[in-house]
Amino acid sequence: MVRTVGYLGPQGTYCEEAVLHLYGKNDVCLQPFTGIDDAIRAVGSGEVDESIVPVENSLEGSVNITLDTMAHDVNLYITKEIVLPVKHNLLTKKGSEEIAVIVSHPQALAQCRKTLGNLYPKAKLKPVESTAAAARIVATSDGLCAAVGSLRAGEFNGLTVAASNIQDSASNSTRFIGLQRQPIVCAPGNCKTTLVCQIHGEHPGSLYNLLGEFAQRQVNLMRIESRPARTGLGMYIFFLDIEGSATESNIAAAVSAIEEKCLWYKNLGSYPVYHVAK
Amino acid sequence: MVRTVGYLGPQGTYCEEAVLHLYGKNDVCLQPFTGIDDAIRAVGSGEVDESIVPVENSLEGSVNITLDTMAHDVNLYITKEIVLPVKHNLLTKKGSEEIAVIVSHPQALAQCRKTLGNLYPKAKLKPVESTAAAARIVATSDGLCAAVGSLRAGEFNGLTVAASNIQDSASNSTRFIGLQRQPIVCAPGNCKTTLVCQIHGEHPGSLYNLLGEFAQRQVNLMRIESRPARTGLGMYIFFLDIEGSATESNIAAAVSAIEEKCLWYKNLGSYPVYHVAK
């Protein structure tokens, strides 16, 4: 049976680009979803074998819907991560000269605000649901509007690249994760382990004591992200990304100690990290 | 001179409701802004004396644009916080019977998704820029659409309350902060201090060591929020909310120690916290 891989669609999104770095187009059956939560839930329900969704951008931060859905709505495991450099392009209809409106996903517009302000000081920026949808809108427009999106979105909609690499910051990249119903066994080396937990947070030192379980074992905490526990203001759950695999003894020991100390806890798995060259 | 207070508009937003709990309508000159960043920058430029903006919701988490603008774009101080229970209402035109479309801010729709699904299983949810804008749209509509918003937005637009308290979770509340150009001196008791900082984060234990400055002085860390440092993926700044005022000796000592240990640091001030009764 051909493996089915869901992703945040429509066709031409950066998420699709990430998927195509992981899988040959003809090796898997790709299934676009209109929402990140839909793509994630489809793994839980068995509709797809895996879904690839964005989890963090270097400028905009965490993708909250990804974190919240993983914590509250499904029981899935992270089985891979892929880091994709984001290169935005200004896409227009062939023959367009004047640009009155520039459409894109709000985050893409935000990431190009300064460059667009210099190139088209009079153009109005208009947010739409995705970079791929923006390209589609331009393809069916009167030619006075342009989209910010990927080369692939441009090709897919028969658009011209009016300007490339228009992002304000050169260090713009997005992390995508693959989610599956079963965890993988991950060999040490260029990998991460992600935990999500809630602690007794009323007393001074609660988080400090938790992080001590990592520090005393020389385990490197790469990222900590708090999200609402949804039980009231001031109550949080923490996503903890640590360097290494739970097959390593110091990491396994730290993970067990964290589990002991928490009110609520999920081990989202250990997984390899891939980087797409800039 | 009458004090000028900016807020996230238009009229009828929950942010305006928060402002009106702090100030009498005739005591200050209220100035609505269409964007949170605009409202914050207007304090920096001297256009207004203070702005009140949302910073965190109990279900949706941090308001990133507020944190990022405070960290990167202005040098302002938090001078107060007000916690407002969020009560959503379904607002319709008088005489409306059928509801085909429900409009609101995406967060408000998300906070009522289950209740709306039960009440109007066939209605389509459509995101718009604010709850107040949603009420305005309904007021000028054909009567087949409804808005999720505050009682004030309903009154302001001459709408009827078709259903009240439609939020899925009873514990839904939003924190708003007041920002000014100068810090205040805050007496101890029901107050907070907020720091934002970047640490040398490459080695195991960096964050642990930082938090130790609080723990060893019995200072309670109420909240930690990471945001991208904007210098690359995996580089973060941390917002730290601690219980108490910098006029207290253990807090002043912890704050100094944190400043010493950080690559970059801002003390956003000590300020009183007000709660609006549920």
Side-chain angles (χ1 to χ4, degrees):
Chain A
M1 269 214 5
V2 177
R3 183 183 179 78
T4 310
V5 178
Y7 69 96
L8 177 65
Q11 287 182 291
T13 56
Y14 290 100
C15 190
E16 189 191 47
E17 201 176 318
V19 174
L20 293 175
H21 277 283
L22 292 166
Y23 296 108
K25 211 170 178 177
N26 301 318
D27 301 339
V28 293
C29 172
L30 293 182
Q31 189 167 330
F33 289 88
T34 53
I36 289 175
D37 51 340
D38 294 335
I40 296 175
R41 286 203 189 91
V43 185
S45 70
E47 186 184 344
V48 297
D49 297 305
E50 177 180 9
S51 273
I52 310 286
V53 292
V55 68
E56 188 187 13
N57 173 268
S58 57
L59 296 175
E60 303 298 323
S62 287
V63 181
N64 294 335
I65 185 77
T66 300
L67 299 183
D68 293 350
T69 307
M70 281 199 296
H72 299 290
D73 300 335
V74 293
N75 282 306
L76 299 176
Y77 297 90
I78 305 174
T79 54
K80 59 179 68 75
E81 172 178 307
I82 177 165
V83 181
L84 185 78
V86 175
K87 293 178 187 169
H88 289 305
N89 304 277
L90 193 72
L91 308 168
T92 58
K93 262 185 127 159
K94 280 179 182 124
S96 284
E97 284 179 9
E98 211 180 313
I99 303 296
V101 180
I102 301 173
V103 293
S104 197
H105 187 274
Q107 289 202 350
L109 290 177
Q111 290 164 15
C112 303
R113 195 173 298 278
K114 283 178 195 163
T115 309
L116 292 175
N118 291 336
L119 290 175
Y120 301 95
K122 290 181 182 168
K124 206 186 146 188
L125 306 188
K126 196 179 155 197
V128 297
E129 70 200 56
S130 70
T131 52
R136 232 171 23 199
I137 288 167
V138 171
T140 57
S141 75
D142 55 9
L144 288 176
C145 71
V148 173
S150 69
L151 286 180
R152 207 175 140 68
E155 282 165 25
F156 196 78
N157 290 280
L159 301 178
T160 300
V161 178
S164 55
N165 279 319
I166 56 167
Q167 61 279 1
D168 297 336
S169 166
S171 63
N172 187 1
S173 49
T174 297
R175 295 200 301 123
F176 295 86
I177 49 175
L179 293 169
Q180 294 181 243
R181 286 182 292 280
Q182 295 299 326
I184 58 162
V185 177
C186 176
N190 208 19
C191 67
K192 274 186 189 175
T193 299
T194 298
L195 310 175
V196 53
C197 63
Q198 185 174 6
I199 54 174
H200 298 270
E202 297 76 26
H203 304 294
S206 323
L207 181 62
Y208 173 72
N209 289 334
L210 192 79
L211 300 190
E213 301 294 345
F214 298 129
Q216 73 192 45
R217 293 178 179 92
Q218 292 293 305
V219 172
N220 189 20
L221 177 69
M222 302 176 80
R223 177 171 174 244
I224 178 170
E225 184 69 50
S226 69
R227 289 294 304 153
R230 296 188 173 175
T231 49
L233 201 60
M235 311 283 273
Y236 302 98
I237 57 173
F238 292 100
F239 285 82
L240 307 167
D241 282 2
I242 56 181
E243 192 176 357
S245 165
T247 55
E248 294 163 76
S249 61
N250 62 331
I251 296 193
V255 167
S256 297
I258 297 286
E259 183 172 8
E260 282 286 309
K261 280 196 169 168
C262 289
L263 278 172
W264 173 83
Y265 159 97
K266 266 188 192 182
N267 184 341
L268 298 178
S270 298
Y271 50 91
V273 177
Y274 305 105
H275 288 264
V276 175
K278 286 199 181 175
Chain B
M1 273 224 347
V2 176
R3 184 184 178 77
T4 310
V5 178
Y7 68 97
L8 177 65
Q11 288 183 289
T13 56
Y14 290 100
C15 191
E16 189 191 47
E17 202 175 316
V19 174
L20 293 174
H21 277 283
L22 292 166
Y23 296 107
K25 212 171 180 176
N26 300 318
D27 302 340
V28 293
C29 172
L30 293 183
Q31 189 168 330
F33 288 88
T34 52
I36 289 175
D37 51 341
D38 294 335
I40 296 175
R41 286 203 189 92
V43 185
S45 69
E47 187 184 342
V48 297
D49 296 305
E50 178 180 8
S51 274
I52 310 287
V53 292
V55 68
E56 188 187 13
N57 174 268
S58 56
L59 296 174
E60 303 298 324
S62 287
V63 181
N64 294 336
I65 185 77
T66 300
L67 299 182
D68 293 350
T69 306
M70 282 199 294
H72 299 290
D73 299 335
V74 292
N75 282 306
L76 298 175
Y77 297 91
I78 305 174
T79 53
K80 58 179 70 73
E81 172 177 307
I82 177 164
V83 181
L84 185 78
V86 174
K87 293 178 186 168
H88 289 305
N89 304 277
L90 193 73
L91 309 167
T92 58
K93 263 186 128 159
K94 280 180 182 125
S96 283
E97 285 180 8
E98 211 180 312
I99 303 296
V101 179
I102 301 173
V103 292
S104 197
H105 187 274
Q107 289 203 349
L109 291 176
Q111 290 165 15
C112 304
R113 195 173 298 278
K114 283 179 195 162
T115 310
L116 292 176
N118 291 336
L119 291 175
Y120 300 96
K122 290 180 182 169
K124 206 185 148 190
L125 306 187
K126 196 179 155 196
V128 297
E129 69 200 57
S130 71
T131 53
R136 233 172 22 200
I137 289 167
V138 171
T140 57
S141 75
D142 55 9
L144 288 175
C145 70
V148 173
S150 68
L151 286 180
R152 206 176 139 69
E155 282 165 26
F156 196 78
N157 290 281
L159 301 178
T160 300
V161 178
S164 56
N165 278 319
I166 57 167
Q167 62 279 1
D168 296 335
S169 166
S171 63
N172 187 2
S173 48
T174 298
R175 295 200 301 123
F176 294 86
I177 48 174
L179 293 168
Q180 294 181 244
R181 287 182 292 279
Q182 295 299 326
I184 58 163
V185 177
C186 175
N190 209 18
C191 68
K192 275 186 191 175
T193 299
T194 298
L195 311 175
V196 51
C197 63
Q198 186 174 4
I199 54 175
H200 298 270
E202 297 75 26
H203 305 295
S206 324
L207 181 63
Y208 173 72
N209 288 333
L210 192 79
L211 300 189
E213 301 295 344
F214 298 129
Q216 73 192 44
R217 294 178 178 91
Q218 292 292 305
V219 172
N220 189 20
L221 177 70
M222 301 175 80
R223 177 172 173 242
I224 178 170
E225 184 69 51
S226 68
R227 289 292 304 152
R230 297 189 173 174
T231 49
L233 201 61
M235 312 283 274
Y236 303 99
I237 57 173
F238 293 101
F239 285 82
L240 306 167
D241 283 2
I242 57 181
E243 193 175 356
S245 165
T247 55
E248 294 164 76
S249 62
N250 63 332
I251 296 192
V255 167
S256 297
I258 297 287
E259 184 172 7
E260 282 285 308
K261 279 196 169 167
C262 288
L263 277 172
W264 174 84
Y265 160 96
K266 268 188 192 181
N267 183 341
L268 298 178
S270 298
Y271 50 91
V273 177
Y274 305 106
H275 288 265
V276 175
K278 285 198 181 175

